[in-house]
Amino acid sequence: MTGPGDPPEGTPNGAPGGGEDEYRSVVFDESFVRAARLQEFSADERLGEHHSPAVRNRHAWMRLGGSRQAVLLVLLIVLAFGTAVYMGIRHPYKTPETVRAQPLRSAVVPLAPSGPVPGATPADLFAHSPAATYRIGAAGINLPAVVRTEHFSDGQIVSALTVAKDYLVRSSLDPGTLTGGSVRPVRLLLDTGQLDQFDRSLARPDDNGRDAATGWLVRFDPKQTRLADRSVRVNGTLAASELSPDALDVTADYTFVYAVRPAPGAPHTGPGQGVGKPTPGAASLVTVRREVHFRLSRENLNDHRLEVVQSSLQAGPLACSSRPADALRPLFAGQHAGQDRPTGTDPYARDRANPSLCGELASSAQPKPSHPLR
């Protein structure tokens, strides 16, 4: 039976204590082991100083793999964003320029009567004139049948026609506008790019084709003229067409017939005021034909505004010398133009300015009242 320190199969070679006796002379005590200094050479040191390492040394920042990828991703995003901003600023396509409002071009032509102006009550005058079948006021400005265009819907065309109708009502039918009152209702409908020209035309009217107040609206001189009847007779047409993919053209051709009489205490002699005294108590008719071209951009449709591009106004009975740039000064019942007749215009006379245009009011345009006042 083995001892407590022997292996189960006994000591080797059957000797007591096994082979321990061979190493008894080289056993180190604990103090010797602790005092010993051991050094193990690395594999690189064992191979020698001229050996090249099999694995390349990695820098500290390269060992941070996840952080480096995040930094590179951020740099790529910043670079892409900067490129997009640069291309947005320096792209090869030009930004479309904002279309500026065109200035109004206008013409005002007085029509002189061939004889004395008829006078009667307003009802008798209207009943025996070509305006007998005309509608009264805004009811005479009807919207036409609407057909959509390539770039504008039915609703947009209706909006354009409605703005044009509003302008005609405010500039041709409003009693305040007709008698020299506030022009704010008309001004509110104009494109903002035309407001300076409009204000200049009302403040300093001039018969130069650009700055006539009567190019924008119908106005009688309040010092000389009063409305005898506020029921203005109206007849004409409205039409809309596509001018461009971004604008509509609206044309208006209307005839307005007004009943007027002299203002109390107004002087009726002088240049442009005809010959003869007005018939007391008698009213007379003034016929005004307005042909107007409007332009409406998409922005105008949203703002309920328009541009008045071109305006042609013919009015009579007026004297040719009345110069109706600021206001209309009609001849009243019983007056006539006398020698103030339309004069010839010489297109070859380039050394002098041609006089203002003037036409002759046809006798068929004058009313033939059944009970004329004399």
Side-chain angles (χ1 to χ4, degrees):
M1 187 172 183
T2 61
D6 297 332
E9 60 274 3
T11 58
N13 300 325
E20 293 180 359
D21 293 340
E22 299 179 14
Y23 302 100
R24 292 184 183 276
S25 59
V26 293
V27 173
F28 303 104
D29 58 11
E30 184 177 355
S31 61
F32 178 84
V33 172
R34 290 181 177 177
R37 298 185 61 184
L38 302 179
Q39 181 178 2
E40 183 178 359
F41 291 96
S42 66
D44 187 52
E45 290 174 334
R46 291 196 297 268
L47 290 174
E49 61 180 345
H50 300 293
H51 172 67
S52 298
V55 180
R56 181 176 299 173
N57 291 332
R58 299 175 63 188
H59 296 286
W61 71 273
M62 294 183 65
R63 290 195 295 270
L64 302 174
S67 300
R68 184 184 64 166
Q69 291 178 1
V71 171
L72 290 176
L73 180 60
V74 172
L75 290 176
L76 288 175
I77 293 175
V78 172
L79 180 61
F81 181 76
T83 303
V85 172
Y86 176 80
M87 293 301 294
I89 297 175
R90 298 294 300 273
H91 61 80
Y93 305 103
K94 293 183 178 180
T95 302
E97 296 182 359
T98 303
V99 179
R100 299 182 61 183
Q102 301 179 27
L104 167 67
R105 294 172 295 163
S106 63
V108 182
V109 180
L111 302 177
S114 57
V117 177
T121 64
D124 196 12
L125 290 171
F126 283 129
H128 295 86
S129 74
T133 58
Y134 287 6
R135 293 188 176 185
I136 298 175
I141 306 176
N142 294 321
L143 302 188
V146 174
V147 179
R148 64 176 303 160
T149 64
E150 183 178 358
H151 299 97
F152 290 89
S153 65
D154 297 355
Q156 289 173 318
I157 296 177
V158 170
S159 296
L161 292 169
T162 302
V163 180
K165 176 179 178 176
D166 290 347
Y167 184 87
L168 291 173
V169 170
R170 297 185 188 184
S171 65
S172 306
L173 299 176
D174 183 78
T177 302
L178 296 175
T179 56
S182 173
V183 296
R184 179 176 172 79
V186 180
R187 193 178 189 274
L188 290 175
L189 290 176
L190 290 175
D191 185 284
T192 55
Q194 289 190 318
L195 294 181
D196 288 343
Q197 184 186 11
F198 177 80
D199 294 340
R200 183 174 62 251
S201 299
L202 271 294
R204 298 181 299 277
D206 192 355
D207 188 16
N208 58 7
R210 297 183 303 275
D211 299 321
T214 46
W216 300 96
L217 45 82
V218 178
R219 165 172 283 187
F220 296 102
D221 185 349
K223 297 179 180 180
Q224 297 185 9
T225 308
R226 291 286 187 272
L227 291 176
D229 189 339
R230 294 195 174 193
S231 300
V232 182
R233 273 39 176 193
V234 184
N235 186 52
T237 58
L238 267 178
S241 61
E242 185 173 309
L243 188 63
S244 71
D246 296 316
L248 288 171
D249 177 75
V250 177
T251 57
D253 185 356
Y254 277 89
T255 299
F256 303 90
V257 185
Y258 308 88
V260 299
R261 60 167 45 99
H268 301 291
T269 59
Q273 295 181 340
V275 178
K277 291 184 178 181
T279 302
S284 60
L285 298 186
V286 178
T287 303
V288 176
R289 181 173 178 178
R290 297 187 73 189
E291 298 177 73
V292 190
H293 283 265
F294 304 105
R295 179 185 180 277
L296 294 95
S297 65
R298 295 184 184 274
E299 184 178 357
N300 291 144
L301 292 177
N302 294 331
D303 297 339
H304 200 75
R305 293 176 178 268
L306 48 70
E307 296 177 37
V308 187
V309 180
Q310 189 171 5
S311 172
S312 175
L313 183 146
Q314 301 175 22
L318 272 72
C320 289
S321 59
S322 62
R323 300 185 63 82
D326 58 338
L328 303 180
R329 298 173 179 84
L331 301 178
F332 299 107
Q335 290 186 309
H336 59 88
Q339 299 299 317
D340 193 5
R341 311 291 299 169
T343 58
T345 300
D346 184 2
Y348 294 97
R350 302 180 61 87
D351 57 339
R352 66 181 185 277
N354 288 317
S356 299
L357 295 177
C358 183
E360 182 174 338
L361 183 64
S363 58
S364 58
Q366 293 289 316
K368 298 176 176 58
S370 56
H371 301 284
L373 299 179
R374 302 182 182 278

